[in-house]
Every structure is written in structure tokens, then in C-alpha cells.
Amino acid sequence: MAYYFRLGNIPPKRHTQFRQPDGSLFKEELVSSKGFSGIYSNLYHIHNPNNVLAIGKPSPYNWEPAKEHGLQQTHLKTAGVSTTGKDYLSARKMLMMNNDVMMGICSPEERKMDYYFKNADGDELIYVHDGEGVMFSQFGKLEVRKGDYIVIPRTTIYRFEWKEEGPLRLLVIESHGPIETVKRYRNELGQLLEHSPYCERDIRPPGELVTESEKGEYLVQIKKGGMLHPYTYGHSPLDIVGWDGFLYPYALSIHDFEPITGRIHQPPPVHQTFQAWGFVICSFVPRLFDYHPLAIPAPYNHSNIDSDEVLYYAEGEFMSRKGIDRGSFTIHMGGLPHGPHPGTVEKSIGAKETHEYAVMLDTFKPLFVTTQGLDFVDLDYPMSWKE
Ligand SMILES: [Fe+2]
């Protein structure tokens, strides 16, 4: 959900005859959400989008919650991980989950995908921690780079091509509900308001349409019901000559998020960047610290009575935590207070600014570490506040 956008050629009136040079009709496809009541786009295909040649055997593509991990402050150390698998899908490792959201990492060995992916289970939010590349989808070519959030509406058919040089590290979030801009930052017609930390100019839709008319065999791995369904189509999925609407993938850089600061410590909602069903996403970015003469820049102890809170540490020194690395996740569960490590509060006094970057996920239902996530647990973390 961003704003109205169009690329390529579309007929002046929807649902009317729109013909190809050979006289045949382009095939119109309405991609709509919430039945016909949510945002939507109209796509115009060269070929029939149902031109299926073969359907392969589905295979499980899901994660299990490790409920035996129990109630404890948790630190997942993923800093040392270089690659997490061969290709984009096998490298996606979800480390925590509930019924609303899954979050994990992805560092594939192969930088180019020789198949397309379509997630029919949920919207995706991919944070590019390290890497630079291009996302090719039916909506066009989207250039992405370090610091970008990429919002991918469910059922978008896409593939990535990442540059071979340098590290590649993605934070991957799959959401059962739509991932949207924050409602309180929008006016009644959907425009982002003056006090929003980012506006429409910061939202980057696909820049250029890529239209492939070729026939052939094209594999699309479709995720639905926690299974991967290999579909072979008789033409390239990028056979779109034009589209328009509100539903499309886009990028928003964390570097374009303008922090809101105050005289005393500001609570996490000022960092909110996205909303979805059952969780929010916040961005912690470089900012000036609080300017009350007696201000304490470090956060206070805090009890989440009805949410679990995950911080992914992207860049910089986190003044309130010890032993946290770039690429660490902390999960502070509802039911336990959490706060700065001993010594860090006094140390923070007088600090003028921070250069930290972090992505926060706050869930409203309990979040569980997955069985794969257990491999990364720092066993000393729950006792790390001991004085
Ligand atoms: Fe917190």
C-alpha cells in the first residue's frame, strides 16, 4: 500500500478491448486484496496467466516452534554466519515464528535465481542488511541496496539477482496479514502526513518494466499452506506490457527514515515504520539524543505485558547492551522486564547522539524461537544482567 502508480502500456478504460500487434487481446489480470475491497492492480499479459505445463510434487517448506525453549530473555547470535544455504529458498532460515509472522535470515551462496518465487501465504518484508541487486517481478525492475526494506505483496512473482561482490545478508519477514504504512501517519485519503517519518518520495516503486514475450519452460515455486508447489509455465512470468494500481512491490531505505526525537526518552512507537496484523516493525536510526538537562539517553526498564519484542542489530554500537554483535537478535518476551545492562545507564548520560541502526519486530501474540533458531541461542544471555 503506497500510492497509485503505473508502468508500461494500459488501455484508457479498464476491462475493455486492448489488442496486441497481431490483433489478439492482451490478457487482463486483476490482482486484488481483501476480495474486491482492498488495494489492487490490473496487469496486462501477452500470454494467458494460467498457461500451466506441469505441476511438480509439493514439498514441505515450513518451520516448527521450539516451545521447550520456554520463557527466557533470548539472544540469537547469527553474526558469524556467512551463508545459510545454496539458493534463495533453501537459504531462508526462519528463526522465530507465531501465527502472524515469521522472521529469519537468508544468505544464499548463489546470487542469481534460476527460478521464480511466489509467496501465496503472506506478504514479505526483506531488509537488505548487506548486498546490492535487482528484484525482477511482474511489476518491473526494482534496484535494491543495503539498508532497503523491500515490501513484496503476496503472490508477486519475483526473482533476485544480487551482485557477486561483497557479503549478502537479508533479514526476511513473512506476514500473514498485509504489510502497510502506519495508519496514524496517513490522512483520510491515504497520503502520508507532515509528521510521518517518511513520505511518498521515499517510497521507490519498480523503475522500469521488463517485458519478455518468449515461450519456453519457466519454473515458479509457489509457497502455499507451508508447502512449495513447483509450477512450470509455458512462458516467462514477466510477460506484462503494462499495469496500474496501488498493489506492487516497493523499497524504502532505512536511511530515508527521519527520526523523531525529544527532550526526554521517546518510546518505540516513534520508530514505527510498518504495521501488519499482530505486529509492528520499527527502525532505529542515527539520531540526536534527548536534550533535557537531566535526560538519560539509555532506555528505562520496561515490562511488555502483552507483546514480545525482537531487535535485530544492524549497525553501530548499542549503548544499552553488552555482548551484542552486528547480526544479533534479542528477543525480550512479555512476562519479564527488560532494560539496559548494568553500568550502561550511567555511561549513557551526556551522550549527544547515536549512530546505531536496528530493526525491531514487536508482536502482540507470543513469539517462539523455531527449532532452527535454537542453534543460535546464546546460553549466557538470560543471566547477563547479573551485577
Ligand atoms: Fe523494549
Side-chain angles (χ1 to χ4, degrees):
M1 212 294 304
Y3 47 82
Y4 174 81
F5 194 67
R6 58 185 280 179
L7 272 180
N9 296 317
I10 56 173
K13 190 103 185 143
R14 57 188 170 178
H15 321 320
T16 59
Q17 293 177 36
F18 180 35
R19 293 197 180 273
Q20 312 203 28
D22 67 1
S24 66
L25 288 166
F26 283 111
K27 281 74 181 170
E28 186 181 28
E29 179 192 7
L30 169 70
V31 180
S32 69
S33 61
K34 296 180 187 167
F36 291 85
S37 306
I39 57 166
Y40 62 90
S41 287
N42 273 298
L43 285 66
Y44 295 87
H45 294 264
I46 294 170
H47 304 289
N48 188 322
N50 296 308
N51 180 23
V52 178
L53 299 184
I55 305 173
K57 198 169 167 283
S59 56
Y61 191 66
N62 214 344
W63 286 265
E64 289 298 324
K67 295 199 174 172
E68 70 276 15
H69 180 64
L71 175 66
Q72 52 175 294
Q73 308 293 34
T74 301
H75 172 205
L76 303 181
K77 292 172 82 123
T78 69
V81 179
S82 54
T83 54
T84 54
K86 188 165 166 280
D87 65 298
Y88 181 62
L89 287 180
S90 62
R92 283 162 64 118
K93 307 287 186 208
M94 294 301 184
L95 306 180
M96 54 212 92
M97 67 186 296
N98 66 16
N99 287 339
D100 296 322
V101 62
M102 291 195 278
M103 188 192 215
I105 51 175
C106 177
S107 291
E109 284 166 35
E110 294 176 359
R111 301 288 172 107
K112 285 187 182 145
M113 294 165 68
D114 58 7
Y115 57 89
Y116 287 87
F117 178 49
K118 171 175 179 169
N119 193 337
D121 278 335
D123 280 25
E124 297 189 343
L125 179 69
I126 296 179
Y127 175 73
V128 184
H129 192 181
D130 284 313
E132 185 179 343
V134 180
M135 177 187 161
F136 291 93
S137 79
Q138 296 181 300
F139 297 91
K141 195 174 157 182
L142 180 60
E143 313 250 355
V144 293
R145 53 189 173 265
K146 188 179 165 79
D148 278 349
Y149 289 106
I150 313 168
V151 178
I152 308 174
R154 68 203 60 210
T155 76
T156 299
I157 300 178
Y158 73 91
R159 68 181 169 83
F160 279 116
E161 274 189 30
W162 299 99
K163 282 196 174 161
E164 296 292 339
E165 314 80 64
L168 174 59
R169 190 181 170 88
L170 309 172
L171 178 69
V172 179
I173 294 166
E174 179 181 310
S175 168
H176 180 59
I179 294 172
E180 300 169 335
T181 59
V182 183
K183 188 163 184 255
R184 70 175 182 282
Y185 288 136
R186 286 187 244 128
N187 65 22
E188 71 271 27
L189 294 179
Q191 186 178 16
L192 289 162
L193 290 161
E194 271 292 302
H195 68 291
S196 168
Y198 60 90
C199 78
E200 285 79 3
R201 289 188 204 180
D202 301 314
I203 291 173
R204 296 166 11 233
E208 177 194 337
L209 204 58
V210 177
T211 308
E212 298 177 351
S213 58
E214 296 86 343
K215 288 190 170 179
E217 293 191 0
Y218 291 82
L219 174 63
V220 181
Q221 292 281 9
I222 304 177
K223 179 176 183 285
K224 178 82 176 172
M227 306 285 281
L228 273 184
H229 307 264
Y231 266 65
T232 305
Y233 287 89
H235 62 269
S236 167
L238 306 191
D239 70 332
I240 306 295
V241 295
W243 65 269
D244 77 332
F246 279 65
L247 189 145
Y248 51 87
Y250 63 85
L252 169 70
S253 175
I254 199 168
H255 303 290
D256 286 326
F257 184 90
E258 299 301 331
I260 295 169
T261 58
R263 229 161 80 91
I264 56 170
H265 193 85
Q266 296 295 297
V270 300
H271 307 285
Q272 192 181 348
T273 314
F274 298 105
Q275 65 179 29
W277 297 348
F279 71 93
V280 298
I281 298 289
C282 301
S283 304
F284 288 79
V285 300
R287 61 195 182 279
L288 296 178
F289 275 139
D290 326 318
Y291 45 89
H292 185 287
L294 296 177
I296 300 175
Y300 31 81
N301 287 300
H302 164 221
S303 264
N304 290 339
I305 66 165
D306 51 12
S307 70
D308 286 357
E309 176 189 305
V310 182
L311 262 180
Y312 178 74
Y313 300 83
E315 314 290 343
E317 276 287 303
F318 271 77
M319 50 137 187
S320 61
R321 299 255 181 278
K322 292 174 177 168
I324 297 297
D325 302 312
R326 185 179 192 269
S328 282
F329 291 88
T330 56
I331 311 166
H332 295 131
M333 300 184 179
L336 296 172
H338 63 273
H341 273 129
T344 59
V345 175
E346 283 286 359
K347 215 177 133 193
S348 78
I349 293 172
K352 294 284 177 249
E353 59 186 333
T354 170
H355 299 285
E356 70 195 17
Y357 285 92
V359 176
M360 189 171 90
L361 163 76
D362 251 14
T363 65
F364 307 137
K365 287 189 203 132
L367 186 70
F368 299 97
V369 173
T370 62
T371 49
Q372 275 200 323
L374 290 180
D375 295 344
F376 300 98
V377 171
D378 169 6
L379 296 174
D380 298 328
Y381 188 67
M383 271 67 73
S384 61
W385 282 263
K386 203 163 63 184
E387 295 188 349

